């Protein structure tokens, strides 16, 4: 019971946001229309139930005129029912797509806001496959929540409507046992209730493991797809290492987990379907068994018997809603748990950035550099990594940061960018200053080459002629004819070409502070020198801060800063005085 209440609380928390959003009036209007149509369909079912009594009595009495009249009435009811079914489905789907669009944008906004997507990966309890949670779980949540919710409303209204009918039929056709009339008020209602309670209890007992099995299914399917994508994106490295057998073994192992889970679902579903199928078939016979003695005692006509059987079936089906929808409910609870886990992970990432012990990155009125004060950059487990008591990256001097591998140079850059929360202290960045970070392996979105260069800005933000000129300047003139061609550029270009393209991006955006994290390490020294001279000439107002291991880089920087060992961590230390020869 606590699990049910917890699930319902989560569903309410997730769903209510949409119906309080800017799209709430459209959503509420569509929801009201869907519910109204569901209620109208119940009304049609009640009228068809009464029609069934009249129709079969007309057959029993050989009344031709009544038979024809009832056929015409049925055609009218059936026509209205078809129209209601069509528009019920249409409006339901309309509501689904509007709700999904809003919910997807909501999750995308929270996931991508302030580097949450990155911080979520830093925790050991990071949620798996956020892409699946946004793309598939949102869709399933909305479909199943509407299906279950509207279906439950229909079941409750159907129950209320047909209980009254069935209670009256119980009085009109009292129970007969062994030729004697037994007075049990509403015995048909009690029969349907007992039958449904037994069926619900047995269904829960048989099908309970399906909730966890469905949760694991989604997770293992997503893991398998993710690893397939990893192989596709890293095909060159795998081929060079002749790693195909190892990848085949890894993928087969992950797919084996999918298969094992699927067999477990199959086994449990077989038992559940065996029971629910038997339960549904028996439900056809039970009302006839209960009403047959009264019929053969001529206490009720054929029409009354048929009406009673249908009314009993409607009541029993309403009471057995849990039984008939159990598999959907199991999948739904798994989807709810996955979305709840996704929201929890986002909330932790947001809290991580706002914790008192996190590094504070704030705007400063100073214009002469980026100031680090009492800064301690640590690992997620709290281990100290880099310290800087009082240091400034001056805006009038390019700075080269050096140090041994693993000293925390890249992590220091991440802290300055505001995406690394672990540690304490403050980083003051000049107000309205623009920063750009270029890592060793740059990222380019799948799309046109022009869009890849102008990222993260729109491709229309820079003239095509300007983009072509910069391509030529960085040594990629051969790509000018492909400017409007769409491709996966991270796979199409070599790492050296990707680094040239990243420099082209920096030249276009002209940030005030440009951080190069070994961003030219895949180029030979002459090519690297040409690009640094190009940056200096084209971006005279940009402060360049580089991480690099080559001694040749010192010629392009006025300051040299080293991460030197200090106890169990590294400290930021000015290695030399200003380099007047730097250009």
């Amino acid at each position: 019971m606590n699990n049910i209440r917890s699930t319902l609380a989560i569903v309410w928390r997730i769903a209510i946001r949409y119906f309080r959003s800017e799209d709430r009036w459209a959503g509420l209007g569509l929801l009201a229309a869907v519910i109204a149509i569901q209620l109208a369909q119940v009304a049609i079912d009640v009228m068809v139930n009464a029609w069934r009594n009249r129709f079969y009595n007309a057959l029993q009495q050989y009344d031709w005129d009544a038979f024809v009249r009832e056929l015409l009435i049925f055609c009218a009811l059936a026509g209205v029912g078809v129209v209601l079914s069509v528009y019920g489905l249409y409006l339901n789907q309309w509501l689904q797509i509007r709700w999904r669009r809003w919910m997807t944008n909501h999750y995308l906004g929270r996931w991508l806001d302030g580097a949450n997507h990155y911080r979520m990966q830093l925790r050991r309890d990071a949620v798996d496959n956020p892409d699946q949670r946004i793309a598939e779980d949102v869709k399933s949540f909305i479909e199943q929540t509407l299906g279950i919710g509207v279906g439950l409303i229909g079941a409750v209204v159907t129950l209320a409507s047909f209980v009254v009918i069935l209670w009256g039929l119980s009085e009109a056709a009292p129970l007969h046992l062994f030729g004697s009339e037994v007075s049990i008020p509403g015995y048909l209602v009690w029969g349907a209730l007992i039958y449904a309670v037994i069926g619900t209890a047995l269904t829960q007992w048989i099908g309970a493991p399906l909730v966890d099995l469905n949760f694991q299914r989604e997770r293992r399917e997503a893991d398998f797809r993710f690893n397939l994508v990893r192989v596709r994106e890293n095909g060159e490295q795998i081929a060079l290492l002749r790693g195909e057998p190892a990848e085949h073994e890894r993928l087969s192992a992950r797919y084996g987990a999918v298969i094992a889970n699927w067999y477990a679902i199959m086994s449990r579903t077989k038992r559940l379907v065996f029971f629910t199928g038997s339960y549904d078939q028996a439900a056809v016979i039970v009302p006839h068994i209960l009403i047959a003695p009264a019929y053969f005692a001529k206490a009720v006509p054929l029409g009354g018997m048929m009406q009673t059987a249908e009314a009993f079936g409607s009541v029993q089906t309403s009471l057995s809603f849990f039984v008939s929808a159990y598999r959907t409910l199991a999948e739904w609870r798994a989807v709810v748990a996955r979305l709840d886990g996704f929201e929890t992970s986002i909330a932790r990432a947001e809290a991580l950035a706002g914790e008192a012990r996190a590094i504070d990155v704030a705007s400063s009125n100073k214009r002469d550099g980026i100031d680090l004060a009492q800064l301690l950059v640590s690992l997620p487990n709290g281990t100290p990594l880099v310290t800087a008591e009082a240091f400034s990256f001056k805006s009038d001097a390019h700075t080269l940061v050096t140090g041994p591998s693993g000293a925390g140079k890249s992590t220091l850059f991440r802290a300055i960018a505001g995406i690394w929360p672990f540690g304490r202290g403050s980083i003051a960045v000049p107000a309205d200053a623009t920063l750009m970070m270029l890592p060793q392996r740059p990222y380019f979105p799948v799309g046109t080459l022009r869009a890849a260069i102008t990222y993260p800005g729109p491709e229309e933000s820079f003239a095509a002629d300007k983009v072509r000129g910069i391509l030529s300047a960085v040594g990629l003139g051969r790509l000018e004819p492909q400017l409007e061609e769409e491709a996966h550029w991270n796979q199409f270009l070599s790492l050296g070409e990707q680094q040239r393209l990243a420099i082209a991006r920096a030249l276009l955006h002209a940030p005030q502070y440009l951080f190069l994290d070994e961003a030219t390490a895949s180029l030979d020294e002459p090519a690297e020198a040409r690009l640094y001279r190009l940056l200096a000439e084209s971006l005279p107002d940009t402060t360049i801060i580089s991480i690099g291991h080559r001694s040749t880089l010192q010629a392009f920087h006025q300051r040299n800063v080293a991460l030197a060992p200090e106890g169990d961590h590294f400290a930021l230390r000015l290695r030399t005085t200003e380099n007047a020869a730097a250009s």
Side-chain angles (χ1 to χ4, degrees):
M1 184 61 70
N2 288 335
N3 287 338
I4 295 175
R5 283 199 295 266
S6 175
T7 299
L8 293 178
I10 295 169
V11 171
W12 175 262
R13 188 189 72 232
I14 294 174
I16 196 60
R17 295 194 193 101
Y18 171 66
F19 295 101
R20 291 175 177 171
S21 71
E22 65 283 356
D23 197 42
R24 61 185 178 277
W25 295 117
L28 289 170
L30 287 169
L31 180 61
V34 169
I35 293 174
I37 289 175
Q38 181 70 23
L39 299 181
Q41 288 176 313
V42 173
I44 293 293
D45 290 340
V46 171
M47 287 186 279
V48 169
N49 180 258
W51 169 87
R52 196 175 299 276
N53 188 334
R54 300 192 304 271
F55 179 74
Y56 281 99
N57 283 339
L59 288 177
Q60 186 178 30
Q61 296 166 10
Y62 302 98
D63 188 339
W64 172 257
D65 292 337
F67 172 78
V68 173
R69 182 176 63 253
E70 294 304 328
L71 283 180
L72 294 175
I73 292 174
F74 178 80
C75 289
L77 292 174
V80 174
V82 169
V83 172
L84 290 174
S85 296
V86 169
Y87 278 93
L89 176 62
Y90 176 77
L91 295 177
N92 190 301
Q93 291 176 333
W94 193 0
L95 174 57
Q96 284 183 38
I97 196 62
R98 294 186 72 102
W99 191 354
R100 184 182 178 187
R101 179 178 61 188
W102 183 89
M103 198 166 168
T104 299
N105 287 333
H106 171 74
Y107 278 137
L108 284 176
R110 290 190 64 191
W111 184 49
L112 297 175
D113 180 54
N116 279 333
H117 61 98
Y118 174 73
R119 283 192 293 271
M120 287 167 65
Q121 300 176 38
L122 300 178
R123 300 182 59 94
R124 290 185 177 181
D125 57 349
V127 67
D128 62 280
N129 305 299
D131 52 314
Q132 184 197 26
R133 314 240 176 169
I134 295 174
E136 295 183 17
D137 289 342
V138 166
K139 175 177 177 291
S140 297
F141 172 80
I142 294 171
E143 287 180 353
Q144 293 169 355
T145 299
L146 281 176
I148 293 169
V150 174
L152 182 60
I153 291 173
V156 170
V157 175
T158 298
L159 177 63
S161 302
F162 281 94
V163 158
V164 176
I165 296 172
L166 196 59
W167 194 281
L169 291 171
S170 299
E171 295 179 354
L175 179 63
H176 282 70
L177 291 176
F178 307 107
S180 301
E181 184 177 309
V182 180
S183 179
I184 301 178
Y187 74 94
L188 291 171
V189 175
W190 296 117
L193 177 61
I194 293 170
Y195 187 76
V197 168
I198 294 173
T200 300
L202 290 175
T203 299
Q204 169 63 14
W205 177 62
I206 296 171
L210 278 175
V211 176
D212 184 62
L213 287 172
N214 278 292
F215 183 91
Q216 293 299 327
R217 182 192 67 180
E218 296 295 334
R219 181 174 185 173
R220 291 172 181 175
E221 292 274 11
D223 285 343
F224 180 60
R225 286 195 301 270
F226 175 77
N227 279 272
L228 287 172
V229 172
R230 288 275 297 166
V231 171
R232 184 190 69 192
E233 292 183 342
N234 296 278
E236 181 182 0
Q237 295 92 322
I238 293 171
L240 289 172
L241 293 171
R242 299 292 189 267
E244 290 84 358
E247 291 301 323
H248 188 278
E249 183 177 350
R250 289 177 58 255
L251 291 172
S252 295
R254 292 188 178 276
Y255 189 64
V258 173
I259 295 300
N261 174 262
W262 186 250
Y263 277 130
I265 291 176
M266 285 171 55
S267 177
R268 185 58 57 172
T269 302
K270 178 186 69 176
R271 301 178 201 177
L272 183 63
V273 172
F274 183 83
F275 172 74
T276 55
S278 302
Y279 178 85
D280 291 340
Q281 293 301 319
V284 177
I285 301 300
V286 170
H288 291 89
I289 293 175
L290 292 175
I291 197 68
Y295 174 74
F296 285 106
K298 299 183 179 180
V300 61
L302 177 62
M305 181 178 183
M306 300 306 294
Q307 183 185 18
T308 300
E310 185 184 32
F312 182 96
S314 296
V315 171
Q316 176 269 326
T317 300
S318 299
L319 291 171
S320 302
F321 176 80
F322 180 77
V323 176
S324 58
Y326 192 87
R327 291 173 61 191
T328 302
L329 286 166
E331 295 175 2
W332 178 64
R333 287 183 63 185
V335 167
V336 170
R338 288 177 61 80
L339 284 180
D340 181 50
F342 182 55
E343 289 198 348
T344 300
S345 185
I346 292 178
R348 287 173 179 170
E350 291 170 339
L352 197 60
E355 287 181 0
R357 62 184 179 88
I359 297 170
D360 179 34
V361 181
S363 297
S364 168
N365 293 327
K366 294 177 63 178
R367 299 289 178 179
D368 59 350
I370 297 175
D371 298 325
L372 315 181
Q374 303 299 315
L375 180 66
L376 168 63
V377 180
S378 61
L379 296 175
N381 61 8
T383 302
L385 187 61
V386 177
T387 60
E389 297 297 327
F391 185 86
S392 178
F393 287 103
K394 295 180 180 180
S395 60
D396 59 354
H398 299 331
T399 302
L400 175 64
V401 181
T402 60
S405 297
K409 302 183 294 296
S410 298
T411 305
L412 175 63
F413 275 21
R414 296 184 188 111
I416 294 173
I419 67 172
W420 187 267
F422 304 106
R424 64 174 182 269
S426 64
I427 299 173
V429 180
D432 301 323
T434 55
L435 280 67
M436 176 174 281
M437 302 274 174
L438 297 187
Q440 185 175 5
R441 185 175 291 275
Y443 165 76
F444 302 104
V446 177
T448 65
L449 179 60
R450 183 178 174 186
I453 301 171
T454 60
Y455 182 86
E459 57 182 303
E460 300 83 9
S461 55
F462 298 96
D465 289 341
K466 183 176 182 180
V467 175
R468 289 191 182 94
I470 288 180
L471 268 178
S472 179
V474 298
L476 293 176
R478 68 176 184 81
L479 296 179
E480 290 183 34
Q482 298 174 272
L483 197 62
E484 302 302 328
E485 181 180 324
E486 293 195 7
H488 192 328
W489 298 103
N490 282 103
Q491 292 185 349
F492 184 76
L493 301 175
S494 69
L495 185 54
E497 290 173 323
Q498 293 178 43
Q499 291 182 345
R500 289 177 184 271
L501 206 61
I503 296 296
R505 177 185 291 168
L507 291 170
L508 277 179
H509 286 278
Q512 291 173 270
Y513 291 87
L514 178 61
F515 292 79
L516 304 177
D517 184 359
E518 298 191 67
T520 56
S522 294
L523 300 171
D524 56 59
E525 291 182 5
E528 183 179 61
R530 283 194 295 272
L531 288 180
Y532 266 94
R533 282 193 290 270
L534 177 63
L535 287 170
E537 294 168 2
S538 303
L539 304 176
D541 297 324
T542 294
T543 300
I544 297 175
I545 303 169
S546 305
I547 291 175
H549 296 284
R550 291 174 177 167
S551 60
T552 52
L553 289 176
Q554 295 179 12
F556 305 101
H557 299 82
Q558 289 81 39
R559 305 175 76 210
N560 191 339
V561 176
L563 289 182
E566 188 174 284
D568 60 350
H569 62 277
F570 291 84
L572 201 62
R573 295 283 186 266
L574 185 63
R575 172 176 277 182
T576 62
T577 57
E578 292 186 357
N579 179 10
S583 59

